[in-house]
Amino acid sequence: NRESSSSILHLAMHALVNDEDPLRSQLLFSPDTVEDGQLHAYEIYQLRLNAELAVLSACNTGMGKISKGEGVMSLSRAFMYAGCPNMVMSLWQVKEQPSSQIMYAFFENLKKGLPKDESLQQAKIRYLSTADLYQAHPANWAAFVLLGDYHPLSRPNNPWLWIGLTALFAVLGVLYYRQRQKRKRMMEKALREEGIRGLGN
């Protein structure tokens, strides 16, 4: 069995839930010449993870088939079995922008030493403070829930951890900005082809 040790394990990606065969639910990485990019639940059960907190900000990571005597057979359950006692998971499909905003604020709050539940609560409140009427719909922010204890992280001030997380969100922010600009250019091009001036800034 493969072993891994880290204070926080954060996976932000796509997930596919298989209700017929929960062990084949999977997280999708980028494939390469060695791996197919698919991490199945049955593979996660074979891992040995020594993380204090696992954050699964993919879609539906807390959802799955209900098995009598077992409970919900979700991807998050597989991570708990593999050694993560605390989880932040999603209960339905989540959008990229609110997810990234909430997760960024959540990690900032953890860094300050706040309890896990309060860190998540305050992250949602911070998101709502800048959201418009459409963005404030619960579908955009209420999917994330905490499973486990509410205590602060035992190692909240590990500098390398927060440097890594800051770098991760910086990359995600750049990718989101580029994708948004690409969509805007495509829309402007389509409008110009119809004889309409492009959108203003």
Side-chain angles (χ1 to χ4, degrees), residues 117-191:
D117 59 343
E118 186 177 345
S119 293
L120 186 58
Q121 178 194 45
Q122 293 301 318
K124 293 177 179 180
I125 292 174
R126 178 173 166 180
Y127 167 77
L128 288 171
S129 68
T130 60
D132 60 27
L133 187 61
Y134 172 75
Q135 294 170 331
H137 192 283
N140 291 323
W141 57 268
F144 294 110
V145 296
L146 171 70
L147 179 63
D149 70 66
Y150 60 87
H151 302 294
L153 289 177
S154 61
R155 293 172 285 175
N157 295 317
N158 182 340
W160 292 109
L161 168 66
W162 301 110
I163 290 172
L165 289 174
T166 301
L168 170 64
F169 279 105
V171 171
L172 291 176
V174 170
L175 292 176
Y176 172 76
Y177 175 78
R178 288 181 176 175
Q179 186 67 20
R180 184 176 178 181
Q181 291 298 106
K182 182 179 179 181
R183 288 197 297 265
K184 182 179 179 181
R185 287 193 298 269
M186 291 175 64
M187 183 177 293
E188 289 177 342
K189 181 179 179 181
L191 290 173

Side-chain angles (χ1 to χ4, degrees), residues 5-9 50-54 153-156 158 161:
S5 179
S6 180
S7 180
I8 298 177
L9 177 62
N50 189 28
E52 184 176 354
L53 171 67
L153 289 177
S154 61
R155 293 172 285 175
N158 182 340
L161 168 66

Side-chain angles (χ1 to χ4, degrees), residues 8 18-19 22 24 29 34 40 42 74 81 83-84 92 94 100 112 119 149 153 162 169 173 178 184 188 200:
I8 298 177
N18 190 326
D19 286 329
R24 292 196 172 276
F29 293 80
V34 179
H40 291 87
Y42 67 82
S74 63
Y81 183 89
C84 298
W92 55 77
V94 289
S100 61
K112 295 174 184 176
S119 293
D149 70 66
L153 289 177
W162 301 110
F169 279 105
R178 288 181 176 175
K184 182 179 179 181
E188 289 177 342

Side-chain angles (χ1 to χ4, degrees), residues 93-110:
Q93 186 172 347
V94 289
K95 295 182 178 180
E96 180 182 352
Q97 182 180 6
S99 298
S100 61
Q101 289 182 238
I102 290 171
M103 288 298 110
Y104 186 86
F106 173 63
F107 286 122
E108 280 193 331
N109 293 334
L110 288 177

